[in-house]
Amino acid sequence: MPRITKVYTRTGDDGTTALGGGQRVPKDAVRIAAYGTVDELSSQIGVALAVGVVEELAAPLGRVQNELFHLGSDLCVLEEDKARMPVPVVEERHVVALEARMDRRSEELPPLANFILPGGAPGAAQLHVARTVCRRAERLLVTLAREEPVGAWAVRYLNRLSDALFVMARFENLRRGVPEPLWDSRA
């Protein structure tokens, strides 16, 4: 574990930042944007937890935040450096767990008969915000993966997580007894 003695280092004042392997890269590099957006996603989930979600979602969302730190660690170390610098990464087991949680929650949800709008209960609305940030992180990661190697499960994890956050938002509305806002295609 890193030991952080100072929050500021002044080393980024020139517009660069260090990857886990020590390489200096521009702060607007796609890799930095990707794991910065993963950090933003974790913060959005933190807001959902602070706003309050039903008990069945609180612990799984806490696990997701921890897994997002795994993903950030996965992304801040180049693939070629991982043999000499093993770090926590997202793995198949994380994707499988998301799918299982989603399947359990979906069993209780009514089938979708229309597109729904983000909203409803405060926790559900915040989970929809997290879902959209997750999709942005996924798009950035896909862009990065075209340029250089990324962890084998990273893109799949974000793809599944955005779906899971959608299901969780619907579940939150269901449990709170708040109707899902529906898209009116004729409005």
Side-chain angles (χ1 to χ4, degrees), residues 11 14 21 24 26-27 33 41 50 71 93 95 100 106-107 115 121-122 131 137-138 158 170 175 185:
T11 58
D14 65 352
R24 302 288 309 171
K27 288 187 176 189
L41 170 58
L71 181 56
R93 67 187 171 95
V95 174
S106 293
E107 288 173 359
F115 288 107
R131 173 186 56 78
E138 180 186 9
L158 287 175
R170 293 193 68 215
R175 278 287 192 263
S185 63

Side-chain angles (χ1 to χ4, degrees), residues 18-180:
L19 296 177
Q23 302 90 340
R24 302 288 309 171
V25 297
K27 288 187 176 189
D28 62 352
V30 177
R31 181 174 290 276
I32 305 307
Y35 74 71
T37 305
V38 167
D39 186 34
E40 181 185 350
L41 170 58
S42 180
S43 295
Q44 292 289 356
I45 291 171
V47 173
L49 289 166
V51 166
V53 294
V54 294
E55 187 177 330
E56 298 97 324
L57 298 180
L61 285 169
R63 280 193 296 281
V64 165
Q65 281 188 300
N66 197 70
E67 291 165 2
L68 288 171
F69 261 72
H70 281 32
L71 181 56
S73 148
D74 197 347
L75 293 172
C76 88
V77 174
L78 299 175
E79 291 304 298
E80 64 257 23
D81 290 342
K82 286 183 181 165
R84 69 176 174 82
M85 295 184 66
V87 294
V89 298
V90 290
E91 301 171 352
E92 180 180 21
R93 67 187 171 95
H94 298 115
V95 174
V96 169
L98 281 175
E99 290 172 348
R101 280 186 226 129
M102 223 183 322
D103 290 345
R104 279 193 305 278
R105 296 295 162 240
S106 293
E107 288 173 359
E108 298 182 47
L109 294 171
L112 283 172
N114 194 358
F115 288 107
I116 62 169
L117 301 174
Q126 185 58 45
L127 289 170
H128 279 295
V129 173
R131 173 186 56 78
T132 63
V133 172
C134 187
R135 285 290 187 204
R136 179 164 29 97
E138 180 186 9
R139 290 189 302 271
L140 286 165
L141 196 49
V142 166
T143 299
L144 176 63
R146 273 198 300 264
E147 296 175 7
E148 55 190 276
V150 298
W153 292 93
V155 173
R156 283 179 263 201
Y157 180 80
L158 287 175
N159 182 272
R160 231 51 109 252
L161 178 56
S162 62
D163 292 339
L165 290 166
F166 177 78
V167 169
M168 288 179 185
R170 293 193 68 215
F171 186 82
E172 175 73 9
N173 278 330
L174 176 74
R175 278 287 192 263
R176 298 278 183 198
V178 177
E180 293 179 305

